[in-house]
Amino acid sequence: MAPRPAYDPGPTISHAGGVNIGTPDLEKSLWFFRDIFGMEVTAEDDGAAYLRGYQEHVHHSLVLTRQDEAKVNTMSLRVSRPQDVELFHDQFVEDGIDVRHVTAGAEVGRGEAIRFLLPGGEHPIELFYDIERPTAPEGIRSKLHGNSSRRRGLGVQRIDHLNVQAAPEMMAEAEGWLRSALGMKRREAMVLPGNPDVPMVSWLSVNSKMHDIAIGASMNGKNSQFHHVAFSLENLHDVLTAVDKLRDLDIQIDAGPGKHGIGQAMYLYVRDPGSNYRVELYSGGYPFVDPDHPTQVWEQQDFGYGMTWYGDFPDVDPDSSTYLETMDVAGLDVDAPSDSVITA
């Protein structure tokens, strides 16, 4: 029997790779993520610090960059194969998307990447594959081979997902592009009556996770907005321990602790005191293992259960809520304002 020809699925995404947050107070942000969250600093270079959780073997998932304006410089996704970076580049150029090459080492420890703005949403995204896998210093090295270092602080394991928002009129294009061009699957969604094909919020992943990225319609009507980055903790009790410690340190808490009905994970939303950007501590949830798992659709009458299954419901009053606030992102060129470049 003749061998079957090899099947090539084309370029694909593997998982959420990281985030680069510009912070006016790098020392305070470092204190927060390194000393309180327990993340390992793998490198410091020219006003930037690179960090990872204790179960991340790659060089980093978080970059903190000293700059005057707090904003997200980059949200990154790792592709599945080395050639996928260039294959995605060619695909995007053919589609009329403005793409930048990012040289190896632009982020310490990371290889070449491409940078573009999410069509419709205008969020800066970088795709990469090559990244170093440094060994932790002996003083914090773990005897558990699955850990890159010992568990410290609040015990952040790894990056879990990114959460962004787009202007309501851009949601269909942005969310649809993530599915059609990057192959993401809509795991769960909130929809309004009469318009089920354009979700208010969509949770998307390319693996068994609930989401690598979530995108929602911004309540303030602004485009290219950032809501939060999430890092995972081992168990639900860790979230309760975290809120106890963070309250004692006067860290701003926007919502939680509680359990989402959507995804069924425990959540706690807090602010990095150096940049004032929102971070979620996230634990639990359920995996998507069936290839034909249908999208779980939440209609308006069940939104409350979806947002919070138990715990205090987040304040959603626009006049008083800190949970609803969104944050700025960079443009196609890192130094450009987020509204200065529009793609495709």
Side-chain angles (χ1 to χ4, degrees), residues 82-238:
Q83 65 265 36
D84 287 350
V85 174
E86 197 62 33
L87 289 172
F88 269 124
H89 170 271
D90 294 346
Q91 174 182 310
F92 298 163
V93 170
E94 185 176 336
D95 292 340
I97 297 172
D98 198 354
V99 185
R100 299 283 192 269
H101 276 286
V102 182
T103 59
E107 283 194 2
V108 173
R110 198 186 72 176
E112 291 184 352
I114 59 171
R115 179 183 178 88
F116 60 96
L117 298 186
L118 170 63
E122 299 177 35
H123 303 83
I125 296 175
E126 293 183 1
L127 304 184
F128 73 96
Y129 178 80
D130 290 320
I131 187 166
E132 295 175 6
R133 300 171 69 87
T135 301
E138 187 173 350
I140 61 169
R141 203 171 301 160
S142 174
K143 294 181 175 66
L144 289 169
H145 297 333
N147 294 353
S148 55
S149 64
R150 296 175 191 166
R151 175 172 168 166
R152 303 172 306 283
L154 297 181
V156 164
Q157 295 175 306
R158 67 186 72 86
I159 192 170
D160 190 86
H161 63 266
L162 304 159
N163 187 299
V164 301
Q165 296 192 353
E169 66 273 16
M170 306 308 296
M171 264 294 291
E173 180 182 355
E175 196 263 356
W177 189 90
L178 288 168
R179 290 188 291 117
S180 63
L182 298 188
M184 293 191 167
K185 296 180 180 179
R186 186 190 289 175
R187 298 304 191 182
E188 301 202 21
M190 283 184 169
V191 300
L192 289 173
N195 199 15
D197 295 330
V198 182
M200 288 179 59
V201 191
S202 176
W203 288 262
L204 304 146
S205 78
V206 289
N207 44 51
S208 63
K209 288 165 48 180
M210 167 67 179
H211 50 338
D212 293 287
I213 189 168
I215 185 166
S218 62
M219 295 190 66
N220 59 18
K222 292 182 180 179
N223 209 25
S224 60
Q225 295 293 291
F226 179 84
H227 193 268
H228 68 267
V229 57
F231 292 96
S232 65
L233 300 180
E234 184 174 8
N235 56 57
L236 308 187
H237 183 268
D238 288 336

Side-chain angles (χ1 to χ4, degrees), residues 301-312:
Q301 67 271 18
D302 295 323
F303 283 1
Y305 295 134
M307 177 66 73
T308 297
W309 182 240
Y310 59 73
D312 290 337

